Amino acid sequence: MPQPAPQENVIQVRDLVNRFGSQTVHEHLDLDVRRGEILGVVGGSGTGKSVLLRSIVGLRRPTSGQVHVFGQDLLSLSPEQRSQLERRFGVLFQNGALFSSLNVVENVAMPLIEHAGLSRPEAQRLAGVKLALAGLPPGTEIKYPSELSGGMVKRAALARALSMDPEILFLDEPTAGLDPISAAAFDRLILTLRDALGLTVFLVTHDLDTLYTTCDRVAVLSQKKVLVVGPLDVVAENGDPWVQSYFHGPRGRAAEEAHEREPSPEVK
């Protein structure tokens, strides 16, 4: 019987070091992200989850190490080459990072005007498509961020992250601050978009429900590196005290039980 072809790694992090003054956050960290997967990144406070994300997308230059995205060394590219590469991924920051002075459709259209060179009418028409993809109802596009609920801010920020048709989507705590119903709906949306658009998703989260619902693999940051990475059930059996407390504490057991009660998507 033929063996399945190995999955392509679209992100490769090797020997990554991140220091802030005398504080070392990452030391010799290695991580691969496979094309088409949703990888969840978890870890205790101060383990550098968001720092890792920012290092991969080029918002922070690591102290040392290599970051390859689509086979290219991000740190060695010229500004023009790096700009071209960065168009292939979208980022949703933890607080949404929408411009408060722009309405929703203007926020989503901005990358299309600045980076794709579209006219304002063209950009706003395409932005409307992205807002619909993100599940926002008609009428939302003329509202300002201050007029939106937390869940709608996240969806508007997601629409902006999708504006340039990225191949990789980076999500930093996408369900933080959302009520359980809104968080569950956002999780389902991420799965739908991954399957419909063929996205690769790098997901920083502390939400156990999100891990159980969406992630193909989970990477645990601990001791300044990736302690363990793999399917959730394998990672949860690691003997590290933080892993045991996180996955097998009361909240972990509740998330696992809720996931087990959900019908399998293969059951018709």
Side-chain angles (χ1 to χ4, degrees):
M1 185 174 180
Q3 295 296 313
Q7 289 179 274
E8 176 192 359
N9 291 326
V10 293
I11 299 171
Q12 290 183 309
V13 180
R14 292 291 180 270
D15 206 25
L16 187 75
V17 177
N18 272 306
R19 293 194 180 97
F20 296 85
S22 60
Q23 179 189 9
T24 300
V25 178
H26 300 136
E27 187 89 62
H28 308 305
L29 183 151
D30 295 336
L31 181 65
D32 292 330
V33 183
R34 301 167 180 168
R35 182 179 294 278
E37 76 170 342
I38 300 179
L39 176 75
V41 178
V42 301
S45 178
T47 54
K49 302 181 292 295
S50 295
V51 173
L52 175 59
L53 184 154
R54 294 173 69 86
S55 298
I56 295 172
V57 303
L59 291 174
R60 170 178 168 76
R61 188 172 187 87
T63 305
S64 63
Q66 292 184 316
V67 177
H68 285 84
V69 184
F70 300 116
Q72 299 188 66
D73 183 353
L74 196 66
L75 303 177
S76 67
L77 297 178
S78 69
E80 183 179 346
Q81 291 172 321
R82 187 161 145 181
S83 177
Q84 290 291 329
L85 184 66
E86 287 171 352
R87 295 182 191 186
R88 299 174 68 182
F89 43 78
V91 185
L92 189 159
F93 296 101
Q94 186 172 152
N95 61 1
L98 297 176
F99 295 104
S100 59
S101 61
L102 301 180
N103 66 25
V104 168
V105 75
E106 290 169 339
N107 263 284
V108 179
M110 180 174 284
L112 295 164
I113 296 170
E114 291 192 349
H115 301 300
L118 298 186
S119 68
R120 190 170 300 275
E122 289 174 323
Q124 293 194 356
R125 180 178 55 80
L126 188 53
V129 174
K130 304 302 180 180
L131 289 167
L133 265 179
L136 284 167
T140 307
E141 66 276 4
I142 61 172
K143 294 184 177 182
Y144 286 82
S146 61
E147 301 175 290
L148 303 180
S149 68
M152 294 176 81
V153 167
K154 297 281 189 181
R155 287 173 182 262
L158 176 62
R160 188 175 64 182
L162 293 170
S163 63
M164 297 290 289
D165 296 326
E167 296 170 56
I168 307 176
L169 190 59
F170 293 89
L171 307 177
D172 192 0
E173 299 281 8
T175 58
L178 299 185
D179 64 84
I181 294 174
S182 297
F186 200 93
D187 289 341
R188 291 192 297 271
L189 174 62
I190 295 305
L191 275 174
T192 299
L193 290 172
R194 188 276 300 268
D195 294 341
L197 304 178
L199 295 169
T200 301
V201 181
F202 182 99
L203 169 64
V204 172
T205 188
H206 69 275
D207 191 327
L208 281 151
D209 290 319
T210 296
L211 292 178
Y212 276 101
T213 301
T214 67
C215 293
D216 300 298
R217 293 192 304 147
V218 175
V220 176
L221 299 191
S222 181
Q223 303 166 33
K224 304 177 184 178
K225 58 187 66 178
V226 175
L227 176 71
V228 59
V229 59
L232 192 148
D233 57 342
V234 174
V235 170
E237 294 310 309
N238 185 276
D240 178 79
W242 186 89
V243 172
Q244 288 297 307
S245 176
Y246 182 69
F247 286 105
H248 301 292
R251 292 180 65 186
R253 290 195 299 270
E256 182 178 15
E257 290 167 3
H259 177 69
E260 289 174 347
R261 287 196 298 269
E262 292 180 359
S264 168
E266 297 179 0
V267 176
K268 304 294 184 183

